[in-house]
Amino acid sequence: INTFKEALIKQKLDTVVQKEQLLAYYESNKESFKLNKVLIQFKFVKIPKNHKDKKQWKRLLRSNKHIDLQLLAESEEQFQDSFLNDSVWVSYKKVLKELPVLKDLKTTSWMRPNSFFQKYESDGLYFIYVKELRRKNEIAPLEYIEKTLQEMILHQRKLELVHTIEDVLVDDAIKKKQFEIY
């Protein structure tokens, strides 16, 4: 029976989750998705201290214009280090691990949305732009938990399908008198 149910589930389960379904599920269950860590969207570049285009990199890093972001991406080989994908949510702990320069700063000075700062170190100059921020116990951003939401919706569908299959099998067994109630 279990093999039969699994085969039916594989055959009948709708595995496509529409964006609207994700959003509806997210909106109706928001309180269940509180963060247990700080998340940030940011970008940074590290350049040599004596680099001549400091003002340009500063301006480009703060900008959200497509042309500026493209110019930054095309210039990536000029940086000693960089992370330019500010649409990705990253845990604060991971950022601290990758950018030890931040450990020396007080979090209140730079942990704000749309904040920018620069920090001189012995090995270079860091420009860091924090685009967005979510603190512990705030609602997780949809983009961050999207994969989890898809799995939850699919699991819910699977449970409903299993229940339906079991009901049909029991009803069929009762009709054919292949089922006894003790």
Side-chain angles (χ1 to χ4, degrees), residues 90-123:
V90 183
S91 91
Y92 172 64
K93 284 186 179 182
K94 186 174 181 181
V95 173
L96 280 180
K97 189 176 176 182
E98 298 295 321
L99 285 172
V101 68
L102 297 175
K103 289 180 182 172
D104 300 337
L105 300 170
K106 293 181 180 174
T107 56
T108 53
S109 66
W110 69 273
M111 289 286 284
R112 295 183 318 272
N114 297 313
S115 63
F116 178 86
F117 69 96
Q118 63 187 38
K119 174 90 165 114
Y120 284 97
E121 287 290 306
S122 59
D123 59 343

Short mmCIF file of all heavy atoms in Angstrom, two decimals, residues 90-123:
data_model
loop_
_atom_site.label_atom_id
_atom_site.label_comp_id
_atom_site.label_asym_id
_atom_site.label_seq_id
_atom_site.Cartn_x
_atom_site.Cartn_y
_atom_site.Cartn_z
N VAL A 90 22.49 38.08 3.91
CA VAL A 90 23.62 37.36 4.50
C VAL A 90 23.56 37.53 6.01
O VAL A 90 23.24 38.62 6.51
CB VAL A 90 24.96 37.91 3.96
CG1 VAL A 90 26.13 37.12 4.50
CG2 VAL A 90 24.98 37.94 2.44
N SER A 91 23.89 36.47 6.74
CA SER A 91 23.88 36.59 8.19
C SER A 91 25.04 37.49 8.65
O SER A 91 26.13 37.46 8.09
CB SER A 91 23.96 35.22 8.85
OG SER A 91 25.28 34.84 9.10
N TYR A 92 24.76 38.26 9.66
CA TYR A 92 25.75 39.19 10.21
C TYR A 92 27.01 38.44 10.67
O TYR A 92 28.12 38.89 10.46
CB TYR A 92 25.10 39.97 11.36
CG TYR A 92 26.04 40.83 12.14
CD1 TYR A 92 26.70 41.90 11.54
CD2 TYR A 92 26.29 40.58 13.49
CE1 TYR A 92 27.57 42.70 12.26
CE2 TYR A 92 27.15 41.38 14.21
CZ TYR A 92 27.79 42.44 13.59
OH TYR A 92 28.65 43.23 14.30
N LYS A 93 26.82 37.28 11.27
CA LYS A 93 27.97 36.49 11.74
C LYS A 93 28.87 36.09 10.57
O LYS A 93 30.09 36.12 10.69
CB LYS A 93 27.50 35.25 12.49
CG LYS A 93 27.01 35.55 13.88
CD LYS A 93 26.69 34.29 14.63
CE LYS A 93 26.24 34.63 16.04
NZ LYS A 93 25.95 33.46 16.84
N LYS A 94 28.26 35.74 9.46
CA LYS A 94 29.05 35.36 8.28
C LYS A 94 29.81 36.58 7.74
O LYS A 94 30.96 36.47 7.33
CB LYS A 94 28.15 34.79 7.19
CG LYS A 94 28.89 34.25 6.01
CD LYS A 94 27.99 33.57 5.01
CE LYS A 94 28.81 33.03 3.86
NZ LYS A 94 27.98 32.38 2.87
N VAL A 95 29.16 37.73 7.76
CA VAL A 95 29.81 38.96 7.30
C VAL A 95 31.01 39.28 8.20
O VAL A 95 32.09 39.62 7.72
CB VAL A 95 28.82 40.15 7.28
CG1 VAL A 95 29.53 41.45 6.97
CG2 VAL A 95 27.72 39.89 6.26
N LEU A 96 30.83 39.16 9.51
CA LEU A 96 31.94 39.41 10.44
C LEU A 96 33.10 38.44 10.20
O LEU A 96 34.27 38.82 10.29
CB LEU A 96 31.48 39.27 11.89
CG LEU A 96 30.74 40.45 12.49
CD1 LEU A 96 30.36 40.16 13.93
CD2 LEU A 96 31.55 41.73 12.41
N LYS A 97 32.75 37.22 9.88
CA LYS A 97 33.78 36.21 9.62
C LYS A 97 34.58 36.55 8.35
O LYS A 97 35.79 36.40 8.31
CB LYS A 97 33.11 34.84 9.47
CG LYS A 97 34.04 33.68 9.40
CD LYS A 97 33.24 32.39 9.34
CE LYS A 97 34.13 31.20 9.17
NZ LYS A 97 33.38 29.96 9.08
N GLU A 98 33.86 37.01 7.33
CA GLU A 98 34.51 37.34 6.05
C GLU A 98 35.18 38.71 6.07
O GLU A 98 36.12 38.95 5.33
CB GLU A 98 33.47 37.31 4.91
CG GLU A 98 32.85 35.94 4.69
CD GLU A 98 33.83 34.90 4.23
OE1 GLU A 98 34.72 35.21 3.41
OE2 GLU A 98 33.73 33.75 4.72
N LEU A 99 34.67 39.62 6.89
CA LEU A 99 35.21 40.98 6.98
C LEU A 99 35.60 41.30 8.42
O LEU A 99 34.90 42.03 9.12
CB LEU A 99 34.18 42.00 6.51
CG LEU A 99 33.94 42.11 5.03
CD1 LEU A 99 32.77 43.02 4.73
CD2 LEU A 99 35.17 42.61 4.31
N PRO A 100 36.72 40.81 8.88
CA PRO A 100 37.11 41.05 10.27
C PRO A 100 37.27 42.53 10.60
O PRO A 100 37.23 42.91 11.77
CB PRO A 100 38.45 40.32 10.41
CG PRO A 100 38.69 39.60 9.15
CD PRO A 100 37.66 39.99 8.16
N VAL A 101 37.42 43.37 9.58
CA VAL A 101 37.55 44.81 9.80
C VAL A 101 36.33 45.36 10.55
O VAL A 101 36.43 46.36 11.26
CB VAL A 101 37.78 45.55 8.46
CG1 VAL A 101 36.55 45.48 7.59
CG2 VAL A 101 38.18 46.98 8.67
N LEU A 102 35.20 44.71 10.43
CA LEU A 102 33.97 45.19 11.08
C LEU A 102 33.95 44.93 12.58
O LEU A 102 33.20 45.58 13.31
CB LEU A 102 32.74 44.52 10.44
CG LEU A 102 32.52 44.82 8.96
CD1 LEU A 102 31.35 44.02 8.43
CD2 LEU A 102 32.28 46.30 8.76
N LYS A 103 34.75 44.00 13.04
CA LYS A 103 34.75 43.66 14.47
C LYS A 103 35.17 44.84 15.34
O LYS A 103 34.74 44.96 16.48
CB LYS A 103 35.67 42.47 14.73
CG LYS A 103 35.11 41.17 14.19
CD LYS A 103 36.05 40.02 14.45
CE LYS A 103 35.46 38.76 13.84
NZ LYS A 103 36.36 37.64 13.88
N ASP A 104 36.00 45.70 14.79
CA ASP A 104 36.49 46.85 15.56
C ASP A 104 35.45 47.97 15.69
O ASP A 104 35.59 48.84 16.53
CB ASP A 104 37.74 47.44 14.90
CG ASP A 104 38.87 46.43 14.80
OD1 ASP A 104 38.87 45.47 15.60
OD2 ASP A 104 39.73 46.59 13.93
N LEU A 105 34.44 47.93 14.85
CA LEU A 105 33.44 49.00 14.84
C LEU A 105 32.29 48.68 15.79
O LEU A 105 31.93 47.53 15.98
CB LEU A 105 32.87 49.17 13.43
CG LEU A 105 33.87 49.53 12.34
CD1 LEU A 105 33.20 49.43 10.99
CD2 LEU A 105 34.40 50.93 12.55
N LYS A 106 31.73 49.71 16.35
CA LYS A 106 30.52 49.52 17.14
C LYS A 106 29.38 49.25 16.16
O LYS A 106 29.22 49.98 15.18
CB LYS A 106 30.22 50.77 17.95
CG LYS A 106 31.24 51.02 19.03
CD LYS A 106 30.88 52.26 19.82
CE LYS A 106 31.93 52.49 20.89
NZ LYS A 106 31.72 53.74 21.60
N THR A 107 28.59 48.23 16.41
CA THR A 107 27.53 47.86 15.47
C THR A 107 26.53 48.98 15.26
O THR A 107 25.97 49.10 14.19
CB THR A 107 26.79 46.59 15.93
OG1 THR A 107 26.30 46.80 17.24
CG2 THR A 107 27.68 45.39 15.87
N THR A 108 26.31 49.81 16.25
CA THR A 108 25.33 50.89 16.10
C THR A 108 25.78 51.92 15.07
O THR A 108 24.96 52.62 14.50
CB THR A 108 25.07 51.59 17.44
OG1 THR A 108 26.31 52.01 18.00
CG2 THR A 108 24.35 50.67 18.41
N SER A 109 27.08 52.01 14.84
CA SER A 109 27.56 53.03 13.91
C SER A 109 27.32 52.66 12.45
O SER A 109 27.23 53.53 11.60
CB SER A 109 29.05 53.29 14.14
OG SER A 109 29.82 52.15 13.79
N TRP A 110 27.20 51.40 12.16
CA TRP A 110 27.05 51.03 10.75
C TRP A 110 25.88 50.09 10.48
O TRP A 110 25.50 49.89 9.34
CB TRP A 110 28.33 50.41 10.21
CG TRP A 110 28.66 49.06 10.78
CD1 TRP A 110 29.34 48.79 11.92
CD2 TRP A 110 28.32 47.80 10.22
NE1 TRP A 110 29.45 47.45 12.10
CE2 TRP A 110 28.84 46.81 11.07
CE3 TRP A 110 27.65 47.39 9.07
CZ2 TRP A 110 28.69 45.45 10.83
CZ3 TRP A 110 27.50 46.04 8.82
CH2 TRP A 110 28.01 45.09 9.70
N MET A 111 25.26 49.55 11.49
CA MET A 111 24.17 48.60 11.29
C MET A 111 22.83 49.32 11.17
O MET A 111 21.95 49.18 12.01
CB MET A 111 24.14 47.59 12.44
CG MET A 111 25.28 46.61 12.42
SD MET A 111 25.09 45.37 11.14
CE MET A 111 23.86 44.33 11.87
N ARG A 112 22.70 50.07 10.10
CA ARG A 112 21.46 50.78 9.79
C ARG A 112 21.22 50.67 8.29
O ARG A 112 22.18 50.65 7.51
CB ARG A 112 21.58 52.25 10.16
CG ARG A 112 21.72 52.54 11.63
CD ARG A 112 21.74 54.05 11.92
NE ARG A 112 22.54 54.84 10.99
CZ ARG A 112 23.85 55.09 11.11
NH1 ARG A 112 24.52 54.60 12.12
NH2 ARG A 112 24.48 55.83 10.23
N PRO A 113 19.97 50.62 7.86
CA PRO A 113 19.70 50.61 6.42
C PRO A 113 20.25 51.88 5.76
O PRO A 113 20.26 52.95 6.36
CB PRO A 113 18.18 50.58 6.34
CG PRO A 113 17.73 50.06 7.66
CD PRO A 113 18.75 50.49 8.65
N ASN A 114 20.72 51.72 4.56
CA ASN A 114 21.28 52.82 3.76
C ASN A 114 22.44 53.53 4.43
O ASN A 114 22.60 54.73 4.27
CB ASN A 114 20.20 53.84 3.39
CG ASN A 114 19.13 53.22 2.53
OD1 ASN A 114 19.42 52.52 1.56
ND2 ASN A 114 17.88 53.43 2.89
N SER A 115 23.24 52.79 5.17
CA SER A 115 24.39 53.41 5.80
C SER A 115 25.67 53.10 5.01
O SER A 115 25.78 52.05 4.39
CB SER A 115 24.54 52.96 7.26
OG SER A 115 24.76 51.58 7.33
N PHE A 116 26.58 54.01 5.05
CA PHE A 116 27.85 53.87 4.34
C PHE A 116 28.97 54.27 5.28
O PHE A 116 28.84 55.23 6.04
CB PHE A 116 27.88 54.77 3.10
CG PHE A 116 29.18 54.71 2.36
CD1 PHE A 116 29.40 53.74 1.41
CD2 PHE A 116 30.19 55.62 2.64
CE1 PHE A 116 30.61 53.66 0.74
CE2 PHE A 116 31.40 55.56 1.97
CZ PHE A 116 31.61 54.57 1.02
N PHE A 117 30.05 53.55 5.22
CA PHE A 117 31.22 53.96 5.97
C PHE A 117 32.48 53.45 5.29
O PHE A 117 32.43 52.57 4.43
CB PHE A 117 31.15 53.53 7.43
CG PHE A 117 31.26 52.05 7.62
CD1 PHE A 117 32.48 51.47 7.92
CD2 PHE A 117 30.16 51.23 7.50
CE1 PHE A 117 32.61 50.11 8.09
CE2 PHE A 117 30.28 49.87 7.67
CZ PHE A 117 31.50 49.31 7.96
N GLN A 118 33.58 54.03 5.69
CA GLN A 118 34.87 53.59 5.18
C GLN A 118 35.79 53.34 6.36
O GLN A 118 35.64 53.95 7.42
CB GLN A 118 35.47 54.61 4.23
CG GLN A 118 35.78 55.96 4.85
CD GLN A 118 36.21 56.97 3.82
OE1 GLN A 118 35.69 57.01 2.72
NE2 GLN A 118 37.16 57.80 4.19
N LYS A 119 36.70 52.41 6.16
CA LYS A 119 37.61 52.04 7.25
C LYS A 119 38.99 51.78 6.66
O LYS A 119 39.14 50.98 5.74
CB LYS A 119 37.07 50.79 7.94
CG LYS A 119 37.95 50.20 8.99
CD LYS A 119 37.63 50.80 10.33
CE LYS A 119 38.25 49.95 11.43
NZ LYS A 119 39.24 50.49 12.20
N TYR A 120 39.97 52.49 7.17
CA TYR A 120 41.36 52.29 6.78
C TYR A 120 41.95 51.15 7.61
O TYR A 120 41.79 51.12 8.82
CB TYR A 120 42.19 53.56 7.00
CG TYR A 120 41.95 54.62 5.97
CD1 TYR A 120 41.06 55.66 6.22
CD2 TYR A 120 42.63 54.60 4.76
CE1 TYR A 120 40.84 56.65 5.28
CE2 TYR A 120 42.42 55.59 3.81
CZ TYR A 120 41.53 56.61 4.08
OH TYR A 120 41.30 57.58 3.14
N GLU A 121 42.62 50.26 6.94
CA GLU A 121 43.36 49.18 7.59
C GLU A 121 44.77 49.20 7.02
O GLU A 121 45.03 49.86 6.01
CB GLU A 121 42.70 47.83 7.30
CG GLU A 121 41.41 47.60 8.03
CD GLU A 121 41.60 47.39 9.53
OE1 GLU A 121 42.39 46.52 9.94
OE2 GLU A 121 40.96 48.13 10.30
N SER A 122 45.66 48.46 7.61
CA SER A 122 47.04 48.45 7.14
C SER A 122 47.15 47.92 5.71
O SER A 122 48.03 48.33 4.96
CB SER A 122 47.91 47.60 8.07
OG SER A 122 47.42 46.27 8.11
N ASP A 123 46.24 47.04 5.34
CA ASP A 123 46.33 46.44 4.00
C ASP A 123 45.41 47.08 2.96
O ASP A 123 45.34 46.61 1.83
CB ASP A 123 46.04 44.94 4.09
CG ASP A 123 44.67 44.64 4.67
OD1 ASP A 123 44.05 45.54 5.29
OD2 ASP A 123 44.20 43.50 4.51
#
